[in-house]
Amino acid sequence: MSAAPESTPGCPVSGAAAPAPELFTWEFATDPYPAYAWLREHEPVHRTRLPSGVEAWLVTRYGDARQALADQRLSKNPAHHDEPAHAKGKTGIPGERKAELMTHLLNIDPPDHTRLRRLVSKAFTPRRVAEFAPRVQELTDRLIDGFAARGSADLIHEFAFPLPIYAICDLLGVPREDQDDFRDWAGMMIRHGGGPRGGVARSVKKMRGYLAELIHRKRAEPGEDLISGLIRASDHGEHLTGNEAAAMAFILLFAGFETTVNLIGNGVYALLRNPGQRARLQESLAAGERGLLETGVEELLRYDGPVELATWRFATEPLTLGGQRIATGDPVLVVLAAADRDPERFDRPDTLDLARRDNQHLGYGHGVHYCLGAPLARLEGQTALATLLTRLPDLRLDADPAELRWRGGLIMRGLRQLPVAFTPAPAGPGSQ
């Protein structure tokens, strides 16, 4: 992929003779950045047929992407999709329609979006996230303890995946004894094309049933968790229906874990492929400094972020974007991965620079749909990277990069596995 050593950064494809790239192949999934560079230069707003059969516009330049993310004429509501029969139900999370989980923040517009976001935003204030930091550190150390003495691990399955699952379950109020069930359902949901046919929809249905039961229990015995907060809001005149509460809990789990899995996995991989940058970060951490860690996580979000394409938008009226006429009902997908490598906005965009300051990346979106859980994801990403690099200082890739595989799926970008090796280390603080 383009997470190459600093001495050989990727270069945009240029020249009129360059052929149009083939999109959505396995080769493209491994390294989409040359194809996105071609699109930015030659067809910055590009109409294509997706693997699902849905036709959509891809927006690849930073300026156009930022405009599209904030354009109120581009609705999040799938009801605005002028979809042919063969595309029915193919523009969202598999199974969410049948499970009555559509009324969440990724599928609605103001004023309903404003109302629901206000109710949930209380869980993600800087104060609440700061209070959660010790729990994130505890989870991080516990997971590393599980493999530190072995000298090898798959960082996706043993670390990057379970960490945000357990964290978001704690926030939602899922009892500890039920959290492994959530881990199994979530694992099926992020396999995309790698699991049994219909497995995602079945997992969504199971999660929906569990959330309905949990909401019922929390209504009888509320706590200080997020689901109890949603219930209290609905009981005090905010008009949050049972379906809305379940859908909100579902999307917070779904959107709140896969992005962080990929942030940690892609981030560690990029650091392993850029040893100079990794060494600078380790020196900074050893000196007790946090500045490079904070700017570094932002740079990893820009360089090879967890969300490749922003979630679906649909034109509610004809509009022009990047010189292309978008018809009413057309789906529009903003390619965050392409926009965040735009040389018109970022200096040396294909180079990883953890100290990059002018870094208004779009990794967590822009406008009213800016990622609500970004503060928590940043906390988890910073904690995970700092703890890994401190406790396992000689962490190294234990596979040929060419053999690594990326998960299928349209929206997210993440590795299936990340095998690493290191000198076996003792258990961390607080372990038994």
Side-chain angles (χ1 to χ4, degrees):
M1 61 174 286
S2 292
E6 295 103 315
S7 57
T8 56
C11 298
V13 178
S14 62
E22 188 174 359
L23 306 178
F24 310 118
T25 64
W26 284 111
E27 293 79 12
F28 170 84
T30 299
D31 183 7
Y33 295 103
Y36 289 149
W38 190 96
L39 290 176
R40 274 196 313 266
E41 182 172 349
H42 299 285
E43 295 182 34
V45 178
H46 172 74
R47 189 170 176 86
T48 189
R49 182 179 293 275
L50 304 173
S52 64
V54 176
E55 291 193 2
W57 295 94
L58 302 181
V59 182
T60 57
R61 286 182 180 168
Y62 183 91
D64 295 334
R66 191 175 170 92
Q67 174 190 335
L69 291 172
D71 196 324
Q72 295 184 1
R73 297 171 298 176
L74 293 174
S75 170
K76 299 291 292 175
N77 190 338
H80 291 291
H81 183 196
D82 184 19
E83 54 185 341
H86 73 274
K88 197 76 174 174
K90 294 183 177 180
T91 59
I93 300 168
E96 66 176 357
R97 291 188 190 221
K98 288 185 178 180
E100 297 184 326
L101 291 170
M102 293 290 288
T103 52
H104 56 67
L105 291 175
L106 298 185
N107 282 344
I108 57 175
D109 304 310
D112 285 337
H113 177 272
T114 308
R115 174 176 63 89
L116 294 182
R117 187 179 177 102
R118 184 178 67 250
L119 295 177
V120 184
S121 63
K122 298 168 186 174
F124 296 101
T125 62
R127 180 183 64 82
R128 286 290 298 271
V129 171
E131 290 173 351
F132 199 55
R135 175 59 178 159
V136 173
Q137 185 65 63
E138 177 190 340
L139 287 169
T140 300
D141 281 316
R142 190 184 81 196
L143 290 168
I144 294 176
D145 286 345
F147 55 78
R150 196 169 70 229
S152 64
D154 175 357
L155 279 189
I156 301 299
H157 291 280
E158 296 183 75
F159 184 66
F161 173 65
L163 174 59
I165 280 288
Y166 293 139
I168 199 69
C169 279
D170 279 355
L171 269 182
L172 288 171
V174 176
R176 300 279 170 89
E177 62 269 21
D178 295 342
Q179 292 186 5
D180 284 337
D181 287 335
F182 261 74
R183 179 175 174 168
D184 292 342
W185 297 331
M188 181 61 69
M189 288 164 65
I190 71 168
R191 287 183 193 174
H192 301 303
R197 184 176 180 85
V200 176
R202 284 194 296 274
S203 293
V204 169
K205 184 177 180 180
K206 289 178 182 178
M207 195 173 289
R208 173 65 172 92
Y210 177 85
L211 288 172
E213 179 187 341
L214 184 60
I215 288 169
H216 178 74
R217 283 156 46 192
K218 295 286 184 182
R219 195 177 295 279
E221 298 182 28
E224 295 303 315
D225 52 83
L226 180 52
I227 289 180
S228 296
L230 293 174
I231 292 169
R232 277 193 294 271
S234 65
D235 288 342
H236 287 81
E238 290 280 6
H239 308 297
L240 192 69
T241 68
N243 276 350
E244 285 177 336
M248 287 299 300
F250 166 74
I251 202 59
L252 288 170
L253 177 78
F254 186 82
F257 85 87
E258 189 172 5
T259 52
T260 308
V261 175
N262 296 346
L263 168 59
I264 296 170
N266 297 5
V268 171
Y269 182 62
L271 291 173
L272 294 179
R273 299 277 283 160
N274 289 269
Q277 293 291 306
R278 177 255 190 92
R280 286 183 62 193
L281 180 55
Q282 286 180 297
E283 291 168 5
S284 174
L285 293 170
E289 300 167 353
R290 297 278 301 182
L292 192 62
L293 176 65
E294 292 171 0
T295 60
V297 166
E298 299 309 304
E299 174 69 346
L300 293 169
L301 283 162
R302 181 202 68 82
Y303 181 74
D304 197 17
V307 183
E308 189 166 345
L309 284 76
T311 49
W312 296 85
R313 284 165 168 78
F314 307 95
T316 59
E317 61 183 79
L319 61 107
T320 300
L321 186 61
Q324 294 285 1
R325 190 68 171 164
I326 312 295
T328 301
D330 278 0
V332 174
L333 290 165
V334 177
V335 187
L336 305 178
D340 281 343
R341 293 282 191 107
D342 190 342
E344 293 296 316
R345 177 58 186 82
F346 299 99
D347 181 46
R348 298 178 302 120
D350 297 301
T351 298
L352 182 69
D353 178 6
L354 299 183
R356 190 184 296 269
R357 293 289 179 181
D358 181 17
N359 195 0
Q360 296 181 35
H361 64 78
L362 301 176
Y364 283 129
H366 171 66
V368 298
H369 290 282
Y370 182 83
C371 178
L372 187 66
L376 177 62
R378 287 185 168 103
L379 168 66
E380 292 172 343
Q382 291 175 15
T383 304
L385 292 175
T387 309
L388 272 176
L389 294 177
T390 300
R391 291 189 55 185
L392 309 175
D394 64 346
L395 190 73
R396 58 194 179 275
L397 188 63
D398 197 23
D400 182 342
E403 296 177 355
L404 296 179
R405 292 293 176 263
W406 297 78
R407 286 197 300 272
L410 186 66
I411 302 298
M412 301 292 185
R413 173 166 173 77
L415 287 160
R416 290 180 180 271
Q417 298 93 23
L418 183 55
V420 295
F422 46 86
T423 300
S431 60
Q432 301 298 316

